[in-house]
Amino acid sequence: MPLRTVTLESMTTSAVPLVQARHVGTAIPGPRSKALHAQRADQVSSGFGVTLPVFIDRAEGGILQDVDGNRFIDFASGIAVTSVGATHPMVQARVAEQLGKFTHTCYMVTEYDSFTKVAAWLNKHVPGNFDKRTALFSTGAEAVENAIKIARAATGRNKVLVFEDAYHGRSLLTMAMTAKENPYKMNFGPFPGEVLRAATSTSLQSKTTDPGEATAEALMQVERLITAQGSDGFAAMVIEPIQGEGGFIVPAPGFLAALREIATRNGIVFVVDEIQSGMGRTGKLFASEYEGIAGDITLTAKALAGGLPLSAVTGRTELMNAVHAGGLGGTYAGNPLACAAALGVFDAFEDGILLENARTIEVTTREMLEPLLKEVDAVGDIRGRGAMLALEFVDPTTKMPRPDLAAAINAHCHQQGVLTLVCGTNGNVIRLLPPLVIAHGLLLDGLAVLRDAIVAESRILPSTGVTIL
Ligand code: PLZ
């Protein structure tokens, strides 16, 4: 089934549409990118890393064009942000109209109606058959922080339960909630206390290969942790319905529903972090829908405003209104340009084509890459949902992670003009996050490059059966 792609002419407001084809005309990075990167090094903190040091000049549909004229197939969407494409006309039109009126008032100083409209859409579409309210902020980490503030104010408790392989942000509290030390937390402690971590249900390195057993073990650990902390210890339990940075880990069926039940039974606010998995990425508006669960609070950001900074905390009215007036806010919280962009994103999802495309991207990708599970012994797993898919590389004998192979495949793709990203606590997972408007031919071309890279690099770096960490 081909992807239902919006025609190029309607995808752009620019006079000349960007050609939707891969093109590598220089070494990667090219000479102009190299020169700009040298200037950057003289001006910008070296604390920022970079996946692919090319400077982007234009982006449209499924293509990023650099300053040397190279065109990359976009399998990143700016880390699951430009899901409707970098230049969706509905987003552009809304932002342009708002830009002509005003850019900022500060919502805590004077009001504007687009903030209410974004809140109303989220209250309606976020899972949960109960009365909801929404608060808007700018970044994902800010949404996570505010969810904890709200849960603490509502429960009068303070502890936070998070999970192995979790990623929730780079601010001090969210660093504490994030699992991976390097690069996120190293040298930045001490962190706020009261954050405790439990096991998740799924891992290739798990002691047991029986998913039911792994789930039961993980749930038992959560129960023990809650008992140990006292019945009124935890204010919130926070989980990503598919763990993103941690390695696109899909929970075992029933795990999230069991956590939901444990949270309810213990009076803990169940917070679902849909910042990476939400807003249509998985083929449903929210990944929680696959497991039939609803958070008391659900967090969105990233794709919510198609590239403008906007995040949201949406939850039960009694929780969201438990905070004293003036207790929530921020200078840029729910900025009018970002709210306008979100309304454009909602327009883009209206006819259902983008959700259908996300599901078609999964079918096409699995058809193309699943044969590798048999053909290449280091391909340990292909997993994910919709347009949030990943491959995990392991030693077939020891199941030890192969970050060396993932890095080599990733670099190979970049050299061929395909922008892939690595993720995973062990850095051994390649993830695919294409925009949902990607042309079918472009998707196939990008997947063929990835497949060839996996075959070629796994021959150069064969599995040894020896621990290489
Ligand atoms: N929760 C589930 O995926 C952001 C991080 C990139 P911010 N993930 C990309 C990086 O290296 O900084 C993320 C997420 C989940 C929270 C966040 C945090 O969102 O908008 O980056 O603050």
PDB file of all heavy atoms in Angstrom, residues 275-305:
ATOM      1  N   ILE A 275       5.802  12.721  25.051  1.00  0.00           N
ATOM      2  CA  ILE A 275       6.534  13.800  24.384  1.00  0.00           C
ATOM      3  C   ILE A 275       7.149  13.331  23.065  1.00  0.00           C
ATOM      4  O   ILE A 275       7.098  14.046  22.064  1.00  0.00           O
ATOM      5  CB  ILE A 275       7.565  14.401  25.362  1.00  0.00           C
ATOM      6  CG1 ILE A 275       6.821  15.233  26.415  1.00  0.00           C
ATOM      7  CG2 ILE A 275       8.627  15.238  24.639  1.00  0.00           C
ATOM      8  CD1 ILE A 275       7.646  15.657  27.621  1.00  0.00           C
ATOM      9  N   GLN A 276       7.697  12.108  23.037  1.00  0.00           N
ATOM     10  CA  GLN A 276       8.265  11.597  21.776  1.00  0.00           C
ATOM     11  C   GLN A 276       7.255  10.720  21.021  1.00  0.00           C
ATOM     12  O   GLN A 276       7.197  10.732  19.802  1.00  0.00           O
ATOM     13  CB  GLN A 276       9.554  10.810  22.050  1.00  0.00           C
ATOM     14  CG  GLN A 276      10.299  10.443  20.785  1.00  0.00           C
ATOM     15  CD  GLN A 276      11.785  10.188  20.937  1.00  0.00           C
ATOM     16  OE1 GLN A 276      12.389   9.585  20.084  1.00  0.00           O
ATOM     17  NE2 GLN A 276      12.413  10.653  21.991  1.00  0.00           N
ATOM     18  N   SER A 277       6.448   9.952  21.747  1.00  0.00           N
ATOM     19  CA  SER A 277       5.581   8.956  21.102  1.00  0.00           C
ATOM     20  C   SER A 277       4.235   9.530  20.668  1.00  0.00           C
ATOM     21  O   SER A 277       3.518   8.891  19.893  1.00  0.00           O
ATOM     22  CB  SER A 277       5.333   7.803  22.084  1.00  0.00           C
ATOM     23  OG  SER A 277       4.711   8.284  23.264  1.00  0.00           O
ATOM     24  N   GLY A 278       3.893  10.703  21.133  1.00  0.00           N
ATOM     25  CA  GLY A 278       2.553  11.247  20.895  1.00  0.00           C
ATOM     26  C   GLY A 278       2.412  12.014  19.601  1.00  0.00           C
ATOM     27  O   GLY A 278       3.312  12.049  18.768  1.00  0.00           O
ATOM     28  N   MET A 279       1.260  12.625  19.416  1.00  0.00           N
ATOM     29  CA  MET A 279       0.921  13.469  18.269  1.00  0.00           C
ATOM     30  C   MET A 279       1.097  12.730  16.933  1.00  0.00           C
ATOM     31  O   MET A 279       1.706  13.239  15.994  1.00  0.00           O
ATOM     32  CB  MET A 279       1.731  14.765  18.294  1.00  0.00           C
ATOM     33  CG  MET A 279       1.355  15.689  19.439  1.00  0.00           C
ATOM     34  SD  MET A 279      -0.438  16.026  19.550  1.00  0.00           S
ATOM     35  CE  MET A 279      -0.788  16.799  17.978  1.00  0.00           C
ATOM     36  N   GLY A 280       0.552  11.492  16.905  1.00  0.00           N
ATOM     37  CA  GLY A 280       0.434  10.779  15.635  1.00  0.00           C
ATOM     38  C   GLY A 280       1.622   9.938  15.235  1.00  0.00           C
ATOM     39  O   GLY A 280       1.555   9.170  14.273  1.00  0.00           O
ATOM     40  N   ARG A 281       2.710  10.042  15.950  1.00  0.00           N
ATOM     41  CA  ARG A 281       3.954   9.360  15.577  1.00  0.00           C
ATOM     42  C   ARG A 281       3.769   7.854  15.380  1.00  0.00           C
ATOM     43  O   ARG A 281       4.332   7.246  14.486  1.00  0.00           O
ATOM     44  CB  ARG A 281       4.998   9.685  16.665  1.00  0.00           C
ATOM     45  CG  ARG A 281       6.340   9.065  16.615  1.00  0.00           C
ATOM     46  CD  ARG A 281       7.098   9.139  15.320  1.00  0.00           C
ATOM     47  NE  ARG A 281       7.331  10.436  14.737  1.00  0.00           N
ATOM     48  CZ  ARG A 281       7.823  10.594  13.489  1.00  0.00           C
ATOM     49  NH1 ARG A 281       8.165   9.555  12.749  1.00  0.00           N
ATOM     50  NH2 ARG A 281       7.969  11.806  12.977  1.00  0.00           N
ATOM     51  N   THR A 282       2.958   7.223  16.237  1.00  0.00           N
ATOM     52  CA  THR A 282       2.859   5.757  16.204  1.00  0.00           C
ATOM     53  C   THR A 282       1.673   5.245  15.375  1.00  0.00           C
ATOM     54  O   THR A 282       1.408   4.052  15.374  1.00  0.00           O
ATOM     55  CB  THR A 282       2.715   5.189  17.630  1.00  0.00           C
ATOM     56  OG1 THR A 282       1.481   5.671  18.180  1.00  0.00           O
ATOM     57  CG2 THR A 282       3.872   5.602  18.519  1.00  0.00           C
ATOM     58  N   GLY A 283       0.971   6.141  14.687  1.00  0.00           N
ATOM     59  CA  GLY A 283      -0.180   5.693  13.898  1.00  0.00           C
ATOM     60  C   GLY A 283      -1.500   5.868  14.634  1.00  0.00           C
ATOM     61  O   GLY A 283      -2.569   5.686  14.069  1.00  0.00           O
ATOM     62  N   LYS A 284      -1.432   6.200  15.910  1.00  0.00           N
ATOM     63  CA  LYS A 284      -2.588   6.707  16.648  1.00  0.00           C
ATOM     64  C   LYS A 284      -2.140   8.050  17.207  1.00  0.00           C
ATOM     65  O   LYS A 284      -0.931   8.298  17.298  1.00  0.00           O
ATOM     66  CB  LYS A 284      -2.977   5.761  17.791  1.00  0.00           C
ATOM     67  CG  LYS A 284      -3.499   4.387  17.308  1.00  0.00           C
ATOM     68  CD  LYS A 284      -4.082   3.606  18.469  1.00  0.00           C
ATOM     69  CE  LYS A 284      -4.419   2.172  18.095  1.00  0.00           C
ATOM     70  NZ  LYS A 284      -5.667   2.047  17.297  1.00  0.00           N
ATOM     71  N   LEU A 285      -3.084   8.896  17.614  1.00  0.00           N
ATOM     72  CA  LEU A 285      -2.648  10.206  18.120  1.00  0.00           C
ATOM     73  C   LEU A 285      -1.736  10.033  19.325  1.00  0.00           C
ATOM     74  O   LEU A 285      -0.749  10.738  19.480  1.00  0.00           O
ATOM     75  CB  LEU A 285      -3.859  11.071  18.486  1.00  0.00           C
ATOM     76  CG  LEU A 285      -4.449  11.911  17.356  1.00  0.00           C
ATOM     77  CD1 LEU A 285      -5.655  12.688  17.855  1.00  0.00           C
ATOM     78  CD2 LEU A 285      -3.410  12.855  16.729  1.00  0.00           C
ATOM     79  N   PHE A 286      -2.049   9.033  20.190  1.00  0.00           N
ATOM     80  CA  PHE A 286      -1.223   8.799  21.381  1.00  0.00           C
ATOM     81  C   PHE A 286      -0.899   7.309  21.502  1.00  0.00           C
ATOM     82  O   PHE A 286      -1.784   6.464  21.304  1.00  0.00           O
ATOM     83  CB  PHE A 286      -1.950   9.321  22.631  1.00  0.00           C
ATOM     84  CG  PHE A 286      -2.140  10.808  22.558  1.00  0.00           C
ATOM     85  CD1 PHE A 286      -3.334  11.342  22.097  1.00  0.00           C
ATOM     86  CD2 PHE A 286      -1.100  11.666  22.862  1.00  0.00           C
ATOM     87  CE1 PHE A 286      -3.492  12.719  21.958  1.00  0.00           C
ATOM     88  CE2 PHE A 286      -1.247  13.041  22.726  1.00  0.00           C
ATOM     89  CZ  PHE A 286      -2.442  13.568  22.275  1.00  0.00           C
ATOM     90  N   ALA A 287       0.351   6.999  21.842  1.00  0.00           N
ATOM     91  CA  ALA A 287       0.772   5.592  21.942  1.00  0.00           C
ATOM     92  C   ALA A 287       0.026   4.874  23.059  1.00  0.00           C
ATOM     93  O   ALA A 287      -0.159   3.655  22.993  1.00  0.00           O
ATOM     94  CB  ALA A 287       2.285   5.521  22.174  1.00  0.00           C
ATOM     95  N   SER A 288      -0.428   5.607  24.091  1.00  0.00           N
ATOM     96  CA  SER A 288      -1.190   4.977  25.187  1.00  0.00           C
ATOM     97  C   SER A 288      -2.423   4.248  24.666  1.00  0.00           C
ATOM     98  O   SER A 288      -2.881   3.292  25.278  1.00  0.00           O
ATOM     99  CB  SER A 288      -1.693   5.999  26.208  1.00  0.00           C
ATOM    100  OG  SER A 288      -0.943   7.142  26.246  1.00  0.00           O
ATOM    101  N   GLU A 289      -2.947   4.742  23.529  1.00  0.00           N
ATOM    102  CA  GLU A 289      -4.183   4.145  23.002  1.00  0.00           C
ATOM    103  C   GLU A 289      -3.979   2.675  22.649  1.00  0.00           C
ATOM    104  O   GLU A 289      -4.918   1.875  22.721  1.00  0.00           O
ATOM    105  CB  GLU A 289      -4.657   4.914  21.763  1.00  0.00           C
ATOM    106  CG  GLU A 289      -5.081   6.342  22.067  1.00  0.00           C
ATOM    107  CD  GLU A 289      -5.376   7.144  20.803  1.00  0.00           C
ATOM    108  OE1 GLU A 289      -6.077   6.638  19.905  1.00  0.00           O
ATOM    109  OE2 GLU A 289      -4.874   8.286  20.702  1.00  0.00           O
ATOM    110  N   TYR A 290      -2.761   2.286  22.263  1.00  0.00           N
ATOM    111  CA  TYR A 290      -2.496   0.885  21.913  1.00  0.00           C
ATOM    112  C   TYR A 290      -2.688  -0.031  23.118  1.00  0.00           C
ATOM    113  O   TYR A 290      -3.001  -1.204  22.963  1.00  0.00           O
ATOM    114  CB  TYR A 290      -1.064   0.713  21.389  1.00  0.00           C
ATOM    115  CG  TYR A 290      -0.889   1.181  19.964  1.00  0.00           C
ATOM    116  CD1 TYR A 290      -0.365   2.440  19.683  1.00  0.00           C
ATOM    117  CD2 TYR A 290      -1.257   0.368  18.896  1.00  0.00           C
ATOM    118  CE1 TYR A 290      -0.200   2.873  18.377  1.00  0.00           C
ATOM    119  CE2 TYR A 290      -1.091   0.795  17.581  1.00  0.00           C
ATOM    120  CZ  TYR A 290      -0.570   2.049  17.327  1.00  0.00           C
ATOM    121  OH  TYR A 290      -0.417   2.472  16.028  1.00  0.00           O
ATOM    122  N   GLU A 291      -2.446   0.504  24.306  1.00  0.00           N
ATOM    123  CA  GLU A 291      -2.564  -0.321  25.512  1.00  0.00           C
ATOM    124  C   GLU A 291      -3.862  -0.029  26.256  1.00  0.00           C
ATOM    125  O   GLU A 291      -4.057  -0.539  27.367  1.00  0.00           O
ATOM    126  CB  GLU A 291      -1.359  -0.072  26.437  1.00  0.00           C
ATOM    127  CG  GLU A 291      -0.038  -0.537  25.855  1.00  0.00           C
ATOM    128  CD  GLU A 291       0.037  -2.054  25.700  1.00  0.00           C
ATOM    129  OE1 GLU A 291      -0.445  -2.768  26.595  1.00  0.00           O
ATOM    130  OE2 GLU A 291       0.567  -2.524  24.678  1.00  0.00           O
ATOM    131  N   GLY A 292      -4.718   0.797  25.663  1.00  0.00           N
ATOM    132  CA  GLY A 292      -6.013   1.109  26.282  1.00  0.00           C
ATOM    133  C   GLY A 292      -5.889   1.789  27.630  1.00  0.00           C
ATOM    134  O   GLY A 292      -6.722   1.600  28.510  1.00  0.00           O
ATOM    135  N   ILE A 293      -4.815   2.580  27.815  1.00  0.00           N
ATOM    136  CA  ILE A 293      -4.649   3.252  29.105  1.00  0.00           C
ATOM    137  C   ILE A 293      -4.745   4.762  28.948  1.00  0.00           C
ATOM    138  O   ILE A 293      -4.570   5.289  27.840  1.00  0.00           O
ATOM    139  CB  ILE A 293      -3.288   2.917  29.764  1.00  0.00           C
ATOM    140  CG1 ILE A 293      -2.125   3.281  28.833  1.00  0.00           C
ATOM    141  CG2 ILE A 293      -3.224   1.468  30.188  1.00  0.00           C
ATOM    142  CD1 ILE A 293      -0.972   3.887  29.519  1.00  0.00           C
ATOM    143  N   ALA A 294      -4.984   5.446  30.045  1.00  0.00           N
ATOM    144  CA  ALA A 294      -4.975   6.906  30.064  1.00  0.00           C
ATOM    145  C   ALA A 294      -4.227   7.360  31.305  1.00  0.00           C
ATOM    146  O   ALA A 294      -4.453   6.826  32.399  1.00  0.00           O
ATOM    147  CB  ALA A 294      -6.408   7.438  30.100  1.00  0.00           C
ATOM    148  N   GLY A 295      -3.328   8.310  31.134  1.00  0.00           N
ATOM    149  CA  GLY A 295      -2.664   8.901  32.293  1.00  0.00           C
ATOM    150  C   GLY A 295      -3.636   9.796  33.046  1.00  0.00           C
ATOM    151  O   GLY A 295      -4.565  10.332  32.446  1.00  0.00           O
ATOM    152  N   ASP A 296      -3.406   9.959  34.368  1.00  0.00           N
ATOM    153  CA  ASP A 296      -4.129  11.027  35.068  1.00  0.00           C
ATOM    154  C   ASP A 296      -3.647  12.354  34.501  1.00  0.00           C
ATOM    155  O   ASP A 296      -4.378  13.333  34.433  1.00  0.00           O
ATOM    156  CB  ASP A 296      -3.827  10.962  36.571  1.00  0.00           C
ATOM    157  CG  ASP A 296      -4.299   9.655  37.178  1.00  0.00           C
ATOM    158  OD1 ASP A 296      -5.450   9.267  36.925  1.00  0.00           O
ATOM    159  OD2 ASP A 296      -3.493   8.998  37.879  1.00  0.00           O
ATOM    160  N   ILE A 297      -2.350  12.329  34.085  1.00  0.00           N
ATOM    161  CA  ILE A 297      -1.740  13.471  33.404  1.00  0.00           C
ATOM    162  C   ILE A 297      -1.008  12.924  32.187  1.00  0.00           C
ATOM    163  O   ILE A 297      -0.298  11.910  32.278  1.00  0.00           O
ATOM    164  CB  ILE A 297      -0.757  14.207  34.334  1.00  0.00           C
ATOM    165  CG1 ILE A 297      -1.513  14.962  35.429  1.00  0.00           C
ATOM    166  CG2 ILE A 297       0.148  15.149  33.545  1.00  0.00           C
ATOM    167  CD1 ILE A 297      -0.621  15.662  36.446  1.00  0.00           C
ATOM    168  N   THR A 298      -1.178  13.566  31.031  1.00  0.00           N
ATOM    169  CA  THR A 298      -0.452  13.180  29.821  1.00  0.00           C
ATOM    170  C   THR A 298       0.361  14.374  29.343  1.00  0.00           C
ATOM    171  O   THR A 298      -0.127  15.510  29.343  1.00  0.00           O
ATOM    172  CB  THR A 298      -1.443  12.721  28.727  1.00  0.00           C
ATOM    173  OG1 THR A 298      -2.149  11.571  29.200  1.00  0.00           O
ATOM    174  CG2 THR A 298      -0.722  12.363  27.427  1.00  0.00           C
ATOM    175  N   LEU A 299       1.609  14.100  28.939  1.00  0.00           N
ATOM    176  CA  LEU A 299       2.512  15.175  28.523  1.00  0.00           C
ATOM    177  C   LEU A 299       2.754  15.123  27.027  1.00  0.00           C
ATOM    178  O   LEU A 299       3.024  14.051  26.472  1.00  0.00           O
ATOM    179  CB  LEU A 299       3.854  15.027  29.249  1.00  0.00           C
ATOM    180  CG  LEU A 299       3.755  14.905  30.770  1.00  0.00           C
ATOM    181  CD1 LEU A 299       5.136  14.698  31.372  1.00  0.00           C
ATOM    182  CD2 LEU A 299       3.096  16.149  31.342  1.00  0.00           C
ATOM    183  N   THR A 300       2.658  16.289  26.375  1.00  0.00           N
ATOM    184  CA  THR A 300       2.994  16.384  24.952  1.00  0.00           C
ATOM    185  C   THR A 300       3.965  17.544  24.749  1.00  0.00           C
ATOM    186  O   THR A 300       4.019  18.477  25.558  1.00  0.00           O
ATOM    187  CB  THR A 300       1.734  16.629  24.089  1.00  0.00           C
ATOM    188  OG1 THR A 300       0.948  17.650  24.699  1.00  0.00           O
ATOM    189  CG2 THR A 300       0.896  15.382  23.938  1.00  0.00           C
ATOM    190  N   ALA A 301       4.752  17.457  23.683  1.00  0.00           N
ATOM    191  CA  ALA A 301       5.668  18.543  23.293  1.00  0.00           C
ATOM    192  C   ALA A 301       6.084  18.220  21.850  1.00  0.00           C
ATOM    193  O   ALA A 301       5.243  17.768  21.067  1.00  0.00           O
ATOM    194  CB  ALA A 301       6.869  18.619  24.227  1.00  0.00           C
ATOM    195  N   LYS A 302       7.346  18.403  21.514  1.00  0.00           N
ATOM    196  CA  LYS A 302       7.888  18.011  20.200  1.00  0.00           C
ATOM    197  C   LYS A 302       6.935  18.266  19.027  1.00  0.00           C
ATOM    198  O   LYS A 302       6.792  19.402  18.615  1.00  0.00           O
ATOM    199  CB  LYS A 302       8.312  16.540  20.256  1.00  0.00           C
ATOM    200  CG  LYS A 302       9.582  16.339  21.123  1.00  0.00           C
ATOM    201  CD  LYS A 302      10.149  14.959  20.913  1.00  0.00           C
ATOM    202  CE  LYS A 302      11.354  14.662  21.776  1.00  0.00           C
ATOM    203  NZ  LYS A 302      12.606  15.088  21.211  1.00  0.00           N
ATOM    204  N   ALA A 303       6.236  17.212  18.521  1.00  0.00           N
ATOM    205  CA  ALA A 303       5.426  17.357  17.309  1.00  0.00           C
ATOM    206  C   ALA A 303       4.175  18.204  17.513  1.00  0.00           C
ATOM    207  O   ALA A 303       3.488  18.535  16.544  1.00  0.00           O
ATOM    208  CB  ALA A 303       5.039  15.978  16.780  1.00  0.00           C
ATOM    209  N   LEU A 304       3.878  18.554  18.755  1.00  0.00           N
ATOM    210  CA  LEU A 304       2.671  19.328  19.069  1.00  0.00           C
ATOM    211  C   LEU A 304       2.574  20.610  18.240  1.00  0.00           C
ATOM    212  O   LEU A 304       1.495  20.981  17.787  1.00  0.00           O
ATOM    213  CB  LEU A 304       2.673  19.661  20.578  1.00  0.00           C
ATOM    214  CG  LEU A 304       1.566  20.541  21.130  1.00  0.00           C
ATOM    215  CD1 LEU A 304       0.185  19.933  20.908  1.00  0.00           C
ATOM    216  CD2 LEU A 304       1.788  20.790  22.635  1.00  0.00           C
ATOM    217  N   ALA A 305       3.689  21.298  18.053  1.00  0.00           N
ATOM    218  CA  ALA A 305       3.644  22.558  17.303  1.00  0.00           C
ATOM    219  C   ALA A 305       4.559  22.507  16.072  1.00  0.00           C
ATOM    220  O   ALA A 305       4.987  23.547  15.577  1.00  0.00           O
ATOM    221  CB  ALA A 305       3.992  23.739  18.198  1.00  0.00           C
TER     222      ALA A 305
END
